Amino acid sequence: MFHINQKMNSMELRIDKLSKTYSNGIKALQNISLEIPNGMFGLLGPNGAGKSTLMRTIATLQEADSGSIILGDIDVLKQKNALRQVLGYLPQQFGLYPKISAEVLLNHFAVLKGITNKGERNDLVDALLHKTNLYEVRKQNLKGFSGGMKQRFGIAQALLNNPKLLIVDEPTAGLDPVERNRFYNVLSELGEHTVVILSTHIVDDVKELCTNMAIINQGHVCLQGNPLQILEGLKDKVYRKTIDKAELNCYKENYQVISERLFLGKPTIHIVNDKNPGDGFSLINAELEDVYFSEIFNNTNPKSN
Ligand code: ADP
C-alpha cells in the first residue's frame, strides 16, 4: 500500500490563515496563507521567522491555534494519520544510530514504515541508496558519515513511503559547497510529482532549486510566487555603490539600504530606488538575495521609504 504510483494525483497543499502563539507569548505564525503546488517550494526566512513551527505543524507534530491545512483531500489538522501515511519529513535535528551501517538502518526504518515483504524492502533500500548517492558507502557505519552524507541519508529515510508531501527543514545548514551541491542534485530529482517544501535561510538553496517560493518573517508571509516573476518586481530598481564604512549611516538615512557587505574587500551597499539616484550608484541586475533583503527590510521597517 505504500508504493502506489501517485503520478496521476496532482496534489496541492493549501494553508489558510494559520496562526500559532506559544505559551511565552511569541507569535510564531500570524495568519499564514500559502498555496503550494507540486514541485519544489522554497520557504525562505531568517532565523526565528517561524519556518520550523510551520514545518512541524504541517508534519502534524504540533498544533496550530487556528487556521487550516489541506493536502489534496486530506484535512491535515484533523486527519493526522492520513497525512502521516503520505508524508516524508527530514527535520532540522536528525538523530542517527552511529554504530549501524546506512543499509541496515534504512532497512530497519523500512520495517518501521510497515514494508514487511523482505524482497520488496531490499529493492527499495537499494534504490534509495542509489538515488541519494550512498550506495557505495552503504556498508559504512553512520558514525563516519559527513554532514552531507547524513543529510542524504535523511532524504533516503524520508522517501521510504514514496511520500506525496516531503518536508525538508534547513537541510543545507552547515554543509560545505560541494556537499550542498550534491544535496541539491538529489533534491532536484524529486520535485515533479511530489510537493516538496524546502525551508531554509539560505537564498542560494531557493535560487538553485525552487519553482515557487515564499518569504516569511516574524510569522508573516511577506511575499510568495515564482522566483523569476518576483525578480521582475525589482527590475531596474537595485543600485550598488562601494562606500567608506564611516558613510554607512548617512546612506541609510537617505536611501533604502537593503544590504551592506564586502565586495572584493570593499564595503558595498545595495539600495532599492525607483529612479537612478546618481551619486556614484550603478544599476545592477537584481538577484534573489536583493528581493529577500528588501522584503525583510520592508517587513522590519514598514514606514521606511
Ligand atoms: P525558524 O525555524 O524560522 O528559525 P521557529 O519556528 O523555530 O523559526 O521559531 C519562531 C519563533 O518562535 C522564534 O521566536 C522562536 O524563538 C519561537 N519558538 C519556537 N519554538 C518555541 C517553543 N517551543 N516555545 C516558545 N517559543 C518558541
Side-chain angles (χ1 to χ4, degrees):
M1 82 191 247
F2 288 104
H3 305 290
I4 300 164
N5 187 334
Q6 77 243 354
K7 285 187 183 170
M8 305 306 290
N9 313 351
S10 185
M11 283 276 166
E12 193 189 44
L13 182 72
R14 269 184 298 123
I15 299 169
D16 197 33
K17 300 196 185 79
L18 198 70
S19 292
K20 170 75 182 178
T21 302
Y22 284 110
S23 54
N24 58 2
I26 289 182
K27 292 179 173 15
L29 305 176
Q30 304 190 54
N31 244 345
I32 296 269
S33 294
L34 289 171
E35 286 188 11
I36 305 184
N38 266 355
M40 194 76 74
F41 185 91
L43 184 73
L44 191 58
N47 287 331
K51 302 181 297 298
S52 291
T53 302
L54 181 59
M55 299 299 98
R56 289 197 304 263
T57 310
I58 301 169
T60 75
L61 296 173
Q62 71 178 64
E63 302 284 337
D65 297 333
S66 58
S68 70
I69 305 175
I70 308 287
L71 175 72
D73 54 6
I74 302 173
D75 184 335
V76 173
L77 299 180
K78 296 194 177 121
Q79 300 169 276
K80 296 199 169 74
N81 282 333
L83 190 275
R84 287 171 192 158
Q85 303 256 317
V86 297
L87 172 72
Y89 181 46
L90 176 57
Q92 220 177 84
Q93 304 287 344
F94 177 68
L96 290 173
Y97 305 90
K99 292 192 181 152
I100 303 181
S101 76
E103 186 177 43
V104 170
L105 186 59
L106 197 55
N107 211 293
H108 175 68
F109 282 143
V111 173
L112 294 181
K113 294 229 175 172
I115 303 164
T116 48
N117 180 299
K118 196 166 177 214
E120 186 192 344
R121 199 168 62 235
N122 288 342
D123 288 349
L124 177 63
V125 165
D126 272 8
L128 288 175
L129 288 168
H130 276 296
K131 191 172 210 153
T132 51
N133 247 320
L134 292 172
Y135 191 76
E136 301 299 315
V137 293
R138 69 193 181 284
K139 305 280 185 209
Q140 282 184 25
N141 281 2
L142 291 149
K143 188 174 56 173
F145 272 24
S146 67
M149 288 155 87
K150 283 185 185 145
Q151 288 303 66
R152 281 183 278 134
F153 182 84
I155 288 290
Q157 66 77 30
L159 291 177
L160 278 167
N161 58 341
N162 199 6
K164 293 187 166 94
L165 170 63
L166 178 66
I167 295 177
V168 216
D169 196 357
E170 300 265 354
T172 64
L175 300 192
D176 70 36
V178 173
E179 286 188 327
R180 178 168 294 156
N181 228 2
R182 276 206 196 108
F183 192 79
Y184 287 165
N185 287 336
V186 170
L187 276 189
S188 66
E189 309 255 301
L190 307 177
E192 240 175 292
H193 305 295
T194 316
V195 176
V196 184
I197 308 179
L198 171 73
S199 142
T200 184
H201 65 274
I202 297 170
V203 179
D204 279 350
D205 289 353
V206 174
K207 188 166 116 187
E208 299 268 338
L209 291 168
C210 298
T211 42
N212 286 287
M213 64 175 282
I215 296 175
I216 71 168
N217 191 28
Q218 298 176 347
H220 293 282
V221 176
C222 314
L223 185 75
Q224 63 177 306
N226 162 310
L228 290 176
Q229 285 166 356
I230 284 174
L231 273 176
E232 276 292 303
L234 278 187
K235 194 168 177 331
D236 296 334
K237 289 187 180 166
V238 180
Y239 294 85
R240 180 174 68 202
K241 185 177 182 184
T242 300
I243 61 163
D244 285 334
K245 195 116 192 82
E247 301 167 330
L248 180 60
N249 281 340
C250 178
Y251 281 103
K252 280 186 171 172
E253 273 162 29
N254 290 305
Y255 297 105
Q256 182 183 331
V257 177
I258 55 168
S259 68
E260 51 197 83
R261 72 186 94 176
L262 292 174
F263 180 66
L264 303 176
K266 298 248 182 202
T268 300
I269 55 173
H270 286 193
I271 65 165
V272 172
N273 220 48
D274 284 334
K275 293 192 300 252
N276 188 337
D279 196 17
F281 279 98
S282 43
L283 182 66
I284 56 171
N285 285 328
E287 298 273 351
L288 205 51
E289 206 161 48
D290 294 312
V291 173
Y292 177 65
F293 285 130
S294 124
E295 285 303 319
I296 301 296
F297 178 93
N298 288 331
N299 193 248
T300 318
N301 308 282
K303 297 238 156 55
S304 291
N305 56 349

